[in-house]
Amino acid sequence: RREGADAGASGRDGARAARDEAEARAVIEATVSRLKDRQANKVAAASSGATAASRATKRASATGAKKTVRKSEWDSFVDWKTMEHQEYETLSDAEYAKLTKKLALEPEWRPMVSYLTSLGLKAGDLEKMLINCEEVFNRPVSRVITRVEYLQSEVGLEGKTLRQIVNKDPRILLQRNRHSIPRCRYLTKIGVPQDKLADVLGKQPSILHLSVQKGLMPRVQYLKQEVGIAAEDIPLVIQRSPAVLTFSVENQIQPRVEFLRELGISKENVVKMITRHPHLLQYSFEGLGEHLKFLGEIGMNDNEVALTVTRLSQFFSLSVENSLRPKYEYLTGELGGTKETCVKYPAYFSLSLDQRIKPRHLFLEQYDLAPDPFPMKYLSVKDEEFVLRADRTVAEFEEYKEEMIPIFTAETARRALLRQVTTSSEEQRMELERKRAEYMRTHQELARKREYSDRVLKARNSHRMLLRVSNRRSR
């Protein structure tokens, strides 16, 4: 009898639990139904009550006017249910309260913020997103999750790369997958390897916003047909500088190509330069002019300039004051070289002054084995071959570099600072001279006006005296 009573009690408990679960399910279903009905009523009211003002608002938004859309109650409900049954780690109440205090977050954004932080975004990243694209926080979490899963599985964006691309362009989370597929397919069609797609888009995520027909294809066609880059080299150009797919052909690519050709560089050499160093297409004309002025200052003619920049494609990426000029001064002052050395061996400018040029030259000089002029081939060979010149070991040379490179670096920094101070002083002197000349011009102008005023005043006084005299005589 006792066992029967226990079984009856457990049965009643099970029935009560089942009844409670059914009641809870009914409450949730009723809530969902009520929210759906409310949402449907809102949509029906909005569609039936459309007025001329609402149509004008839609036209304004279609022409580019941005309007922050608040998240609906239904979307918020779904987000919270998604967060309850998700696989990513959610933010605690204390963590979200801390972020809310710092970033002024809305309560309904918590599911989205939790998901974004699970991707590795920090408070600073969320702040940038709030400033640049607040709309992300008002989108359903499920839609953003679907977007991220596509970027991870199909494009290959993971971890740090995904965070980097979201930081650069958070609008990428708003784009539909069907809009990204044609861009990715076109890149792979022209030869960009599938495993390199993530690197390309990570560097330039705005590619996914460009039209294939009106944006990507015309630029690629211009590079192939007008510039002359071979079809098999186009993927290399894109991997080295994906930004070339976003440049304006008329305002950026074409003027720089013509600028290089006007220097006397042949079409074939222009193609080589752009293929090896496509960043050339984004340098300003002021920067290009500064580098060409430097080559002219050291005595190169037009043909030598063309030969130098052709053989060293990254020449325009090197700083004139912090790289090119110090290396040339060391070449002519210590190594016994001339500007002809630069023409024959332009790769000298690409070597590190503190970590390659000085260590090798001074290492041989301490054993009185440094020729004058110093052969450029001593700077290009490997350490194993170089140390044979001094009959020393690689370990001895490594020990020498470990001791001396910090000294060379500090000396270079001191010279750069001194040069900066000198330049600043010269600029201040020129500014004072300009202000002095402007003051003199102003002073002379005032003096002329004052002299003119004095003459006018004297003439008026003389005229008044003549009038008085004439009036007296007439009386």
Side-chain angles (χ1 to χ4, degrees):
R1 284 198 301 271
R2 186 179 302 165
E3 291 177 356
D6 293 340
S10 62
R12 287 192 297 274
D13 293 339
R16 187 180 301 108
R19 187 168 58 255
D20 294 342
E21 182 178 356
E23 291 177 356
R25 188 180 297 110
V27 170
I28 292 177
E29 290 176 354
T31 303
V32 171
S33 177
R34 185 171 64 257
L35 289 172
K36 283 184 176 179
D37 294 339
R38 187 181 301 174
Q39 184 70 11
N41 293 335
K42 287 183 179 179
V43 173
S47 59
S48 61
T51 59
S54 64
R55 289 194 295 270
T57 303
K58 291 180 180 179
R59 286 196 299 270
S61 62
T63 55
K66 295 185 178 179
K67 181 180 179 181
T68 302
V69 180
R70 300 287 296 181
K71 184 174 293 188
S72 66
E73 293 182 6
W74 169 250
D75 288 338
S76 298
F77 176 78
V78 173
D79 285 351
W80 280 94
K81 286 300 177 184
T82 302
M83 189 174 70
E84 290 177 3
H85 303 284
Q86 45 71 39
E87 297 180 354
Y88 55 87
E89 184 178 356
T90 60
L91 291 173
S92 65
D93 295 342
E95 290 173 332
Y96 190 73
K98 184 178 180 181
L99 282 175
T100 300
K101 184 178 180 181
K102 183 176 182 180
L103 304 177
L105 301 176
E106 298 292 340
E108 62 268 22
W109 291 350
R110 181 171 176 178
M112 180 63 75
V113 173
S114 294
Y115 179 67
L116 293 175
T117 54
S118 73
L119 297 178
L121 272 68
K122 307 299 182 184
D125 304 328
L126 296 174
E127 184 177 7
K128 292 179 183 177
M129 188 177 294
L130 277 171
I131 296 173
N132 299 325
C133 191
E134 184 181 325
E135 187 180 354
V136 171
F137 295 90
N138 290 312
R139 287 297 178 94
V141 176
S142 58
R143 189 175 298 176
V144 175
I145 291 176
T146 303
R147 177 62 175 162
V148 170
E149 288 176 350
Y150 170 81
L151 295 174
Q152 291 174 333
S153 61
E154 300 297 328
V155 182
L157 296 171
E158 294 285 353
K160 184 178 179 181
T161 308
L162 179 61
R163 177 188 169 189
Q164 179 184 2
I165 194 173
V166 172
N167 272 335
K168 282 186 177 180
D169 188 4
R171 294 180 302 147
I172 198 172
L173 297 178
L174 304 176
Q175 192 179 45
R176 296 182 182 273
N177 294 338
R178 61 185 176 88
H179 292 157
S180 299
I181 292 173
R183 282 83 170 169
C184 296
R185 285 180 179 173
Y186 179 74
L187 292 177
T188 54
K189 180 181 177 181
I190 62 177
V192 177
Q194 182 70 34
D195 58 344
K196 299 294 183 182
L197 204 56
D199 295 335
V200 171
L201 297 177
K203 294 177 182 176
Q204 199 67 39
S206 58
I207 291 175
L208 291 176
H209 300 296
L210 298 175
S211 167
V212 174
Q213 298 295 330
K214 298 180 180 180
L216 300 178
M217 194 176 294
R219 293 174 173 90
V220 172
Q221 291 299 324
Y222 182 83
L223 292 175
K224 290 196 296 186
Q225 296 176 3
E226 300 299 329
V227 180
I229 300 177
E232 58 270 19
D233 291 332
I234 291 293
L236 296 177
V237 172
I238 295 174
Q239 292 176 58
R240 289 168 181 167
S241 179
V244 296
L245 293 178
T246 65
F247 294 159
S248 168
V249 172
E250 295 79 9
N251 299 328
Q252 191 155 359
I253 300 179
Q254 183 178 351
R256 282 154 182 79
V257 171
E258 294 176 351
F259 177 82
L260 294 174
R261 289 175 179 171
E262 289 174 359
L263 293 177
I265 305 174
S266 65
K267 181 177 180 180
E268 293 75 14
N269 286 331
V270 169
V271 170
K272 289 180 182 178
M273 292 175 64
I274 295 177
T275 303
R276 294 173 184 172
H277 194 69
H279 298 84
L280 272 172
L281 299 177
Q282 66 187 80
Y283 295 149
S284 66
F285 286 107
E286 291 77 9
L288 296 174
E290 182 185 8
H291 286 72
L292 297 176
K293 180 181 178 182
F294 165 75
L295 295 178
E297 289 175 353
I298 65 177
M300 288 190 185
N301 56 37
D302 292 343
N303 293 331
E304 292 170 335
V305 168
L307 183 61
T308 300
V309 299
T310 301
R311 297 177 63 188
L312 185 63
S313 301
Q314 67 268 36
F315 173 79
F316 291 105
S317 66
L318 302 173
S319 170
V320 172
E321 296 301 327
N322 297 326
S323 180
L324 298 178
R325 198 178 301 280
K327 291 173 186 176
Y328 182 75
E329 291 174 354
Y330 193 83
L331 174 69
T332 56
E334 303 295 335
L335 301 183
T338 60
K339 62 103 174 176
E340 283 76 15
T341 308
C342 300
V343 176
K344 294 179 181 178
Y345 191 74
Y348 167 81
F349 286 120
S350 66
L351 302 176
S352 172
L353 179 61
D354 299 327
Q355 300 187 21
R356 187 64 168 248
I357 300 174
K358 283 185 177 181
R360 293 203 172 190
H361 171 240
L362 298 178
F363 182 75
L364 292 181
E365 192 175 65
Q366 69 178 347
Y367 299 111
D368 294 329
L369 296 174
D372 189 14
F374 195 79
M376 293 293 101
K377 63 180 180 180
Y378 285 8
L379 300 175
S380 60
V381 297
K382 296 182 179 179
D383 288 348
E384 292 79 5
E385 184 178 350
F386 168 74
V387 295
L388 297 178
R389 310 284 178 180
D391 196 19
R392 293 294 186 272
T393 64
V394 175
E396 290 177 312
F397 183 51
E398 291 293 336
E399 183 181 356
Y400 174 81
K401 289 195 295 183
E402 185 177 354
E403 177 185 358
M404 299 303 296
I405 285 179
I407 299 176
F408 298 152
T409 304
E411 176 64 18
T412 300
R414 187 188 67 81
R415 289 174 179 262
L417 180 61
L418 181 62
R419 185 166 52 251
Q420 183 178 2
V421 171
T422 303
T423 303
S424 177
S425 300
E426 181 65 18
E427 291 176 353
Q428 291 179 2
R429 187 190 65 79
M430 293 177 64
E431 180 66 16
L432 289 174
E433 184 66 23
R434 185 189 65 79
K435 289 183 177 180
R436 189 187 69 82
E438 183 178 355
Y439 171 79
M440 291 299 296
R441 287 195 301 271
T442 304
H443 180 72
Q444 292 173 359
E445 183 69 21
L446 290 174
R448 285 194 298 270
K449 290 181 178 179
R450 189 180 298 111
E451 183 179 358
Y452 174 77
S453 299
D454 292 342
R455 290 200 302 269
V456 170
L457 182 60
K458 290 179 179 179
R460 287 178 178 176
N461 291 335
S462 299
H463 181 65
R464 288 171 183 168
M465 291 180 63
L466 290 173
L467 288 176
R468 290 173 184 171
V469 171
S470 61
N471 288 336
R472 289 174 183 174
R473 289 179 178 175
S474 60
R475 290 176 184 173

Coordinates of all heavy atoms in Angstrom, one line a residue, residues 256-305:
R256 N 48.0 59.2 -63.1 CA 49.3 58.7 -62.6 C 50.0 57.9 -63.6 O 51.3 58.0 -63.7 CB 49.1 58.0 -61.3 CG 48.9 58.9 -60.1 CD 48.1 58.3 -59.0 NE 47.9 59.3 -57.9 CZ 46.9 60.2 -57.9 NH1 46.1 60.3 -59.0 NH2 46.8 61.0 -56.9
V257 N 49.3 57.2 -64.4 CA 50.0 56.4 -65.5 C 50.5 57.4 -66.5 O 51.7 57.2 -67.0 CB 48.9 55.5 -66.2 CG1 49.5 54.8 -67.4 CG2 48.5 54.4 -65.2
E258 N 49.8 58.4 -66.9 CA 50.3 59.4 -67.8 C 51.5 60.2 -67.2 O 52.4 60.5 -67.9 CB 49.2 60.4 -68.2 CG 48.0 59.7 -69.0 CD 46.9 60.7 -69.3 OE1 46.9 61.8 -68.7 OE2 46.0 60.3 -70.0
F259 N 51.4 60.4 -65.9 CA 52.5 61.1 -65.3 C 53.8 60.3 -65.4 O 54.9 60.9 -65.7 CB 52.2 61.3 -63.8 CG 53.3 62.0 -63.0 CD1 53.5 63.4 -63.0 CD2 54.1 61.2 -62.2 CE1 54.5 64.0 -62.2 CE2 55.1 61.8 -61.5 CZ 55.3 63.2 -61.5
L260 N 53.8 59.0 -65.2 CA 55.0 58.2 -65.3 C 55.5 58.1 -66.7 O 56.7 58.2 -67.0 CB 54.6 56.8 -64.8 CG 54.3 56.7 -63.3 CD1 53.9 55.2 -63.0 CD2 55.5 57.0 -62.4
R261 N 54.6 58.1 -67.7 CA 55.0 58.0 -69.1 C 55.6 59.3 -69.5 O 56.5 59.4 -70.4 CB 53.8 57.7 -70.0 CG 53.3 56.2 -69.8 CD 52.1 55.9 -70.6 NE 51.6 54.5 -70.4 CZ 50.5 54.1 -70.9 NH1 49.6 54.8 -71.5 NH2 50.2 52.8 -70.7
E262 N 55.1 60.5 -69.0 CA 55.7 61.8 -69.3 C 57.1 61.9 -68.8 O 57.8 62.8 -69.3 CB 54.8 62.9 -68.8 CG 53.4 63.0 -69.6 CD 52.5 64.0 -68.9 OE1 52.9 64.6 -67.9 OE2 51.4 64.2 -69.4
L263 N 57.5 61.1 -67.8 CA 58.8 61.2 -67.3 C 59.8 60.5 -68.3 O 61.0 60.6 -68.1 CB 58.9 60.4 -66.0 CG 58.2 61.1 -64.8 CD1 58.4 60.2 -63.5 CD2 58.7 62.5 -64.5
G264 N 59.3 59.9 -69.3 CA 60.2 59.2 -70.3 C 60.2 57.7 -70.0 O 61.1 57.0 -70.7
I265 N 59.4 57.2 -69.1 CA 59.4 55.8 -68.8 C 58.6 55.1 -69.9 O 57.4 55.5 -70.2 CB 58.8 55.5 -67.4 CG1 59.6 56.3 -66.4 CG2 58.9 54.0 -67.1 CD1 59.0 56.2 -65.0
S266 N 59.1 54.0 -70.5 CA 58.4 53.3 -71.5 C 57.1 52.6 -71.0 O 57.0 52.4 -69.8 CB 59.3 52.3 -72.2 OG 59.7 51.3 -71.2
K267 N 56.2 52.2 -71.9 CA 55.0 51.6 -71.5 C 55.3 50.3 -70.8 O 54.6 49.9 -69.8 CB 54.1 51.4 -72.7 CG 52.8 50.7 -72.4 CD 51.9 50.6 -73.6 CE 50.6 49.9 -73.3 NZ 49.7 49.8 -74.5
E268 N 56.3 49.5 -71.3 CA 56.6 48.2 -70.7 C 57.1 48.4 -69.2 O 56.8 47.6 -68.3 CB 57.7 47.5 -71.5 CG 57.2 47.1 -72.9 CD 57.1 48.2 -73.9 OE1 57.6 49.3 -73.6 OE2 56.4 48.0 -74.9
N269 N 57.9 49.5 -69.0 CA 58.5 49.7 -67.7 C 57.4 50.2 -66.7 O 57.5 49.9 -65.5 CB 59.6 50.7 -67.8 CG 60.9 50.0 -68.3 OD1 61.1 48.8 -68.2 ND2 61.7 50.8 -69.0
V270 N 56.5 51.0 -67.3 CA 55.3 51.4 -66.4 C 54.5 50.2 -65.9 O 54.1 50.1 -64.8 CB 54.4 52.4 -67.2 CG1 53.1 52.7 -66.4 CG2 55.2 53.7 -67.4
V271 N 54.3 49.3 -66.9 CA 53.6 48.0 -66.5 C 54.4 47.3 -65.4 O 53.8 46.8 -64.4 CB 53.4 47.2 -67.7 CG1 52.9 45.8 -67.3 CG2 52.5 47.8 -68.7
K272 N 55.7 47.2 -65.5 CA 56.5 46.5 -64.5 C 56.4 47.2 -63.2 O 56.3 46.6 -62.1 CB 58.0 46.4 -65.0 CG 58.2 45.5 -66.1 CD 59.7 45.5 -66.5 CE 60.0 44.6 -67.7 NZ 61.4 44.6 -68.1
M273 N 56.5 48.5 -63.2 CA 56.4 49.3 -61.9 C 55.1 49.1 -61.2 O 55.1 48.8 -60.0 CB 56.7 50.8 -62.2 CG 58.1 51.1 -62.7 SD 58.2 52.9 -63.2 CE 57.9 53.6 -61.6
I274 N 54.0 49.2 -62.0 CA 52.7 49.0 -61.4 C 52.4 47.6 -60.9 O 51.8 47.4 -59.8 CB 51.6 49.5 -62.3 CG1 51.8 51.0 -62.6 CG2 50.2 49.2 -61.8 CD1 50.8 51.5 -63.6
T275 N 52.9 46.6 -61.7 CA 52.8 45.2 -61.3 C 53.5 44.9 -60.0 O 53.0 44.2 -59.1 CB 53.2 44.3 -62.4 OG1 52.5 44.6 -63.6 CG2 53.0 42.8 -62.0
R276 N 54.8 45.4 -59.9 CA 55.6 45.1 -58.7 C 55.1 46.0 -57.5 O 55.2 45.5 -56.4 CB 57.0 45.4 -59.0 CG 57.7 44.5 -60.1 CD 59.1 45.0 -60.4 NE 59.7 44.2 -61.5 CZ 60.8 44.5 -62.1 NH1 61.5 45.6 -61.7 NH2 61.3 43.8 -63.0
H277 N 54.7 47.2 -57.8 CA 54.4 48.1 -56.7 C 53.1 48.9 -57.1 O 53.2 50.1 -57.4 CB 55.5 49.0 -56.4 CG 55.4 49.8 -55.1 ND1 55.5 49.1 -53.8 CD2 55.2 51.1 -54.8 CE1 55.4 50.0 -52.9 NE2 55.2 51.2 -53.4
P278 N 51.9 48.3 -57.0 CA 50.7 49.0 -57.4 C 50.3 50.2 -56.5 O 49.4 51.0 -56.9 CB 49.6 47.9 -57.4 CG 50.2 46.8 -56.5 CD 51.7 46.9 -56.6
H279 N 51.0 50.3 -55.3 CA 50.7 51.4 -54.5 C 51.0 52.8 -55.2 O 50.6 53.8 -54.7 CB 51.5 51.3 -53.2 CG 51.1 50.1 -52.4 ND1 51.7 48.9 -52.6 CD2 50.2 49.9 -51.3 CE1 51.2 48.0 -51.8 NE2 50.3 48.6 -51.0
L280 N 51.8 52.7 -56.3 CA 52.1 53.9 -57.0 C 50.9 54.7 -57.4 O 50.9 55.9 -57.5 CB 52.9 53.5 -58.3 CG 54.4 53.4 -58.3 CD1 54.9 52.8 -59.6 CD2 55.0 54.7 -58.0
L281 N 49.8 53.9 -57.6 CA 48.6 54.6 -58.2 C 47.8 55.4 -57.1 O 46.8 56.0 -57.4 CB 47.7 53.5 -58.7 CG 48.2 52.7 -59.9 CD1 47.3 51.6 -60.3 CD2 48.5 53.6 -61.1
Q282 N 48.3 55.3 -55.8 CA 47.6 56.0 -54.8 C 48.4 57.2 -54.2 O 48.0 57.9 -53.3 CB 47.1 55.1 -53.7 CG 48.2 54.4 -52.9 CD 47.7 53.4 -52.0 OE1 47.4 52.3 -52.3 NE2 47.5 53.7 -50.7
Y283 N 49.7 57.3 -54.7 CA 50.5 58.4 -54.2 C 50.0 59.7 -54.7 O 49.6 59.8 -55.9 CB 52.0 58.2 -54.5 CG 52.6 56.9 -53.9 CD1 53.6 56.2 -54.5 CD2 52.2 56.5 -52.6 CE1 54.2 55.1 -53.9 CE2 52.7 55.4 -52.0 CZ 53.7 54.7 -52.7 OH 54.2 53.6 -52.1
S284 N 50.2 60.8 -53.9 CA 49.8 62.1 -54.4 C 50.8 62.7 -55.3 O 52.0 62.2 -55.3 CB 49.6 63.0 -53.2 OG 50.9 63.2 -52.5
F285 N 50.4 63.6 -56.2 CA 51.4 64.2 -57.1 C 52.4 65.0 -56.3 O 53.5 65.2 -56.8 CB 50.6 65.1 -58.1 CG 49.9 64.3 -59.1 CD1 48.5 64.2 -59.1 CD2 50.5 63.6 -60.1 CE1 47.8 63.5 -60.0 CE2 49.8 62.9 -61.1 CZ 48.5 62.8 -61.0
E286 N 52.0 65.6 -55.2 CA 53.0 66.3 -54.4 C 54.1 65.4 -53.9 O 55.3 65.7 -54.0 CB 52.3 66.9 -53.1 CG 51.4 68.1 -53.5 CD 50.0 67.6 -54.0 OE1 49.8 66.4 -53.9 OE2 49.3 68.4 -54.4
G287 N 53.8 64.1 -53.5 CA 54.8 63.2 -53.0 C 55.6 62.7 -54.2 O 56.9 62.6 -54.0
L288 N 55.0 62.5 -55.3 CA 55.8 62.0 -56.5 C 56.8 63.1 -56.9 O 57.9 62.9 -57.2 CB 54.9 61.7 -57.7 CG 53.9 60.5 -57.4 CD1 52.9 60.4 -58.6 CD2 54.7 59.2 -57.3
G289 N 56.3 64.4 -56.9 CA 57.1 65.5 -57.2 C 58.3 65.7 -56.3 O 59.4 66.1 -56.7
E290 N 58.0 65.5 -55.0 CA 59.1 65.6 -54.0 C 60.2 64.6 -54.2 O 61.4 64.9 -54.1 CB 58.5 65.4 -52.6 CG 59.5 65.5 -51.5 CD 59.0 65.2 -50.1 OE1 57.8 64.7 -50.1 OE2 59.7 65.4 -49.1
H291 N 59.9 63.4 -54.6 CA 60.9 62.3 -54.9 C 61.7 62.7 -56.1 O 62.9 62.5 -56.2 CB 60.2 61.0 -55.0 CG 59.8 60.4 -53.7 ND1 58.7 60.9 -53.0 CD2 60.3 59.4 -53.0 CE1 58.5 60.2 -51.9 NE2 59.5 59.3 -51.8
L292 N 61.0 63.1 -57.2 CA 61.7 63.5 -58.4 C 62.6 64.7 -58.2 O 63.7 64.8 -58.8 CB 60.6 63.8 -59.5 CG 59.8 62.6 -59.9 CD1 58.7 63.0 -60.9 CD2 60.6 61.4 -60.5
K293 N 62.2 65.6 -57.4 CA 63.0 66.8 -57.1 C 64.3 66.4 -56.4 O 65.4 66.9 -56.6 CB 62.2 67.8 -56.2 CG 63.0 69.0 -55.8 CD 62.2 69.9 -54.8 CE 63.0 71.1 -54.4 NZ 62.2 72.0 -53.5
F294 N 64.2 65.3 -55.5 CA 65.4 64.8 -54.8 C 66.4 64.3 -55.8 O 67.6 64.5 -55.7 CB 65.0 63.8 -53.8 CG 66.1 62.9 -53.3 CD1 67.0 63.5 -52.3 CD2 66.3 61.6 -53.7 CE1 68.1 62.7 -51.9 CE2 67.4 60.9 -53.3 CZ 68.3 61.4 -52.4
L295 N 65.9 63.5 -56.8 CA 66.8 62.9 -57.8 C 67.4 64.0 -58.6 O 68.6 63.9 -59.0 CB 66.0 61.9 -58.6 CG 65.5 60.6 -57.9 CD1 64.7 59.8 -58.9 CD2 66.6 59.9 -57.3
G296 N 66.7 65.0 -58.9 CA 67.3 66.2 -59.6 C 68.3 66.9 -58.8 O 69.3 67.3 -59.3
E297 N 68.1 67.0 -57.5 CA 69.1 67.7 -56.6 C 70.4 67.0 -56.5 O 71.4 67.6 -56.4 CB 68.5 67.8 -55.2 CG 67.3 68.8 -55.1 CD 66.7 68.9 -53.8 OE1 67.1 68.0 -52.9 OE2 65.9 69.7 -53.5
I298 N 70.4 65.6 -56.7 CA 71.7 64.9 -56.6 C 72.3 64.8 -57.9 O 73.4 64.1 -58.1 CB 71.5 63.5 -56.0 CG1 70.6 62.6 -56.9 CG2 70.8 63.6 -54.6 CD1 70.4 61.2 -56.3
G299 N 71.7 65.4 -59.0 CA 72.4 65.5 -60.3 C 71.9 64.6 -61.3 O 72.5 64.5 -62.4
M300 N 70.8 63.9 -61.2 CA 70.3 62.9 -62.2 C 69.6 63.7 -63.3 O 68.8 64.6 -63.0 CB 69.4 61.9 -61.6 CG 70.1 60.9 -60.7 SD 68.9 59.5 -60.3 CE 69.9 58.5 -59.2
N301 N 69.8 63.3 -64.6 CA 69.0 63.8 -65.7 C 67.7 63.0 -65.8 O 67.5 62.0 -65.1 CB 69.9 63.9 -66.9 CG 70.4 62.5 -67.3 OD1 69.7 61.5 -67.1 ND2 71.6 62.5 -67.8
D302 N 67.0 63.4 -66.8 CA 65.7 62.7 -67.0 C 65.8 61.2 -67.3 O 65.0 60.4 -66.8 CB 64.9 63.4 -68.2 CG 64.5 64.8 -67.8 OD1 64.5 65.1 -66.6 OD2 64.1 65.6 -68.7
N303 N 66.8 60.8 -68.1 CA 67.0 59.4 -68.4 C 67.4 58.6 -67.2 O 66.9 57.5 -67.0 CB 68.0 59.3 -69.5 CG 67.5 59.8 -70.9 OD1 66.3 59.8 -71.1 ND2 68.5 60.3 -71.7
E304 N 68.3 59.2 -66.4 CA 68.7 58.5 -65.2 C 67.6 58.4 -64.1 O 67.5 57.4 -63.4 CB 69.9 59.3 -64.6 CG 71.2 59.2 -65.4 CD 72.3 60.1 -65.0 OE1 71.9 61.1 -64.3 OE2 73.5 59.8 -65.2
V305 N 66.7 59.4 -64.1 CA 65.6 59.4 -63.2 C 64.7 58.3 -63.6 O 64.2 57.5 -62.8 CB 64.8 60.7 -63.2 CG1 63.5 60.6 -62.5 CG2 65.7 61.8 -62.5

